[in-house]
């Protein structure tokens, strides 16, 4: 499909924005979906300044009216990129924050996908790309809510790929590692908005930070575009590729994990979150 129309959700910031602009600069037909109306005018102004053309629409994936509106855009490729990250342990995070994590990252995108998937089934063509994460393949402490949504995304995408194969609809995942977009660092700031008493928590979030060094986000754009345009037929796409052995090792180690492993000792990743500075770049 040479003239594919591509919808990217969560295109107001981070990966989504970079990918949307890069595709538009290549002359692709892009619809940039953003969460709030103020982002529409901001992106329109930036697109004008950069001399690129793309359709920019308010699309809050949790809003049923926004989803219904989007189904009228007759797209060929859906990129489910919109996401938030609510940091904190499952023993501390308030219920409303936990539910919001799943509404934005899982239920909203899934409901949006339902409508487009049915259209693609009728057309017998289409491509659905889920921007998941390496956190969908392995989990870390103080990030359980976010990891949970991405693990569920992986399951939904896998099932959907098998369900839609007879209708010539492709499904793929993009699994970025830790990148310095601000997204990961904001995850460890969300506790400040908890309505519950922040002093009555098991973990000290004032001292905690995202526990990994982070890569240059520009590295994500080019390999992501190859997936979106179907230039690679790889179903799962971990970025950067050098993380693949680490991810596979973490997944394999779960088969040997014991219930008494490390009991009485602080987990090394929890300790690192206390020791590392926010926004630490990878070398």
């Amino acid at each position: 499909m040479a003239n594919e129309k591509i919808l990217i959700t969560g295109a107001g910031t981070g990966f989504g924005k970079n990918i949307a602009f890069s595709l538009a600069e290549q002359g692709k037909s892009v619809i940039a979906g953003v969460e709030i109306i103020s982002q529409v005018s901001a992106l329109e102004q930036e697109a004008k300044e950069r001399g690129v053309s793309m359709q920019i629409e308010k699309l809050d994936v949790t809003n049923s009216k926004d989803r219904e509106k989007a189904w009228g855009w007759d797209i060929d490729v859906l990129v489910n990129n919109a996401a938030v990250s609510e940091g904190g342990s499952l023993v501390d995070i308030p219920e409303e924050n936990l539910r919001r994590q799943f509404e934005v990252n899982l239920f909203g995108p899934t409901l949006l996908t339902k409508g487009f998937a049915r259209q693609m089934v009728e057309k017998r063509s289409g491509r659905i790309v889920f921007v998941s994460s390496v956190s969908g393949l392995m989990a870390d402490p103080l990030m359980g809510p976010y990891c949970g949504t991405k693990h569920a995304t992986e399951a939904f995408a896998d099932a959907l790929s098998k369900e839609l194969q007879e209708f010539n609809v492709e499904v793929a995942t993009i699994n970025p590692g830790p990148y310095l977009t601000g997204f990961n660092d904001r995850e460890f700031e969300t506790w400040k908005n908890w309505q519950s008493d922040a002093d009555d928590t098991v973990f000290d979030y004032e001292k905690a930070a995202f526990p990994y060094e982070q890569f240059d986000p520009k590295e994500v754009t080019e390999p992501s575009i190859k997936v979106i345009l179907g230039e690679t037929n790889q179903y799962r796409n971990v970025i950067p590729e050098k993380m693949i052995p680490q991810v596979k090792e973490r997944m394999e180690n779960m088969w040997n994990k014991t219930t008494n492993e490390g009991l009485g000792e602080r987990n090394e990743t929890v300790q690192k979150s206390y020791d590392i500075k926010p926004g630490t770049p990878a070398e």
Side-chain angles (χ1 to χ4, degrees):
M1 292 181 287
N3 298 313
E4 293 175 322
K5 183 180 289 187
I6 305 164
L7 169 60
I8 304 168
T9 68
T13 59
F15 297 147
K17 179 180 176 181
N18 291 342
I19 291 168
F21 271 99
S22 184
L23 284 167
E25 287 167 352
Q26 294 179 32
K28 304 300 181 182
S29 179
V30 175
I31 303 176
V34 298
E35 180 187 8
I36 54 178
I37 196 67
S38 62
Q39 291 177 312
V40 173
S41 56
L43 247 63
E44 286 176 341
Q45 180 61 33
E46 184 170 350
K48 182 178 180 180
E49 292 172 354
R50 294 172 63 167
V52 299
S53 175
M54 61 180 171
Q55 182 178 340
I56 302 167
E57 299 279 356
K58 176 187 175 295
L59 175 53
D60 177 352
V61 297
T62 67
N63 185 305
S64 60
K65 292 184 178 179
D66 282 5
R67 293 195 299 264
E68 290 175 10
K69 176 183 66 175
W71 292 331
W73 293 336
D74 190 26
I75 66 167
D76 302 292
V77 183
L78 171 62
V79 183
N80 284 308
N81 171 74
V84 297
S85 189
E86 295 275 349
S89 167
L90 291 172
V91 302
D92 290 327
I93 188 169
E95 177 183 346
E96 58 268 30
N97 295 71
L98 180 61
R99 289 186 179 278
R100 178 175 182 270
Q101 178 73 98
F102 277 81
E103 288 292 341
V104 177
N105 288 18
L106 183 66
F107 296 123
T110 299
L111 293 171
L112 178 68
T113 300
K114 275 172 59 72
F116 284 124
R118 293 183 69 89
Q119 294 175 11
M120 292 176 181
V121 165
E122 291 180 8
K123 293 189 294 185
R124 296 298 195 271
S125 68
R127 187 176 306 115
I128 300 170
V129 179
F130 291 89
V131 179
S132 179
S133 170
V134 295
S135 294
L137 308 174
M138 58 188 196
D140 283 302
L142 309 185
M143 299 164 61
Y146 176 75
C147 295
T149 64
K150 293 303 184 180
H151 273 68
T153 295
E154 290 289 324
F156 281 19
D158 189 9
L160 194 64
S161 71
K162 295 165 183 171
E163 293 161 355
L164 298 184
Q165 67 183 43
E166 67 180 277
F167 305 106
N168 292 318
V169 178
E170 297 176 80
V171 177
T173 70
I174 297 172
N175 299 74
Y179 281 92
L180 196 54
T181 63
F183 182 85
N184 298 315
D185 296 306
R186 288 192 297 271
E187 176 181 8
F188 279 76
E189 296 287 329
T190 55
W191 64 270
K192 295 178 180 179
N193 296 321
W194 292 356
Q195 299 301 311
S196 56
D197 187 356
D199 294 328
D200 187 26
T201 57
V202 172
F203 294 93
D204 187 351
Y205 298 105
E206 289 190 7
K207 297 179 180 179
F210 182 73
Y212 289 99
E213 293 79 7
Q214 301 177 65
F215 303 112
D216 183 346
K218 294 179 181 178
E219 299 174 1
V220 176
T221 304
E222 184 177 346
S224 294
I225 285 176
K226 289 182 179 179
V227 179
I228 292 166
L229 296 181
E231 294 175 357
T232 174
N233 62 1
Q234 186 74 26
Y235 168 76
R236 174 172 288 158
N237 300 271
V238 171
I239 307 172
E241 290 187 355
K242 63 184 178 183
M243 280 197 70
I244 293 176
Q246 176 187 349
V247 173
K248 287 184 175 180
E249 181 180 6
R250 286 279 300 272
M251 296 176 75
E252 182 65 26
N253 286 345
M254 291 302 295
W255 289 100
N256 300 314
K257 182 179 172 65
T258 60
T259 58
N260 61 350
E261 184 175 302
L263 284 184
E265 302 174 357
R266 174 171 286 170
N267 179 272
E268 61 180 13
T269 306
V270 174
Q271 185 59 52
K272 187 173 181 180
S273 75
Y274 286 146
D275 294 338
I276 198 171
K277 293 182 179 179
T280 299
E283 294 181 358

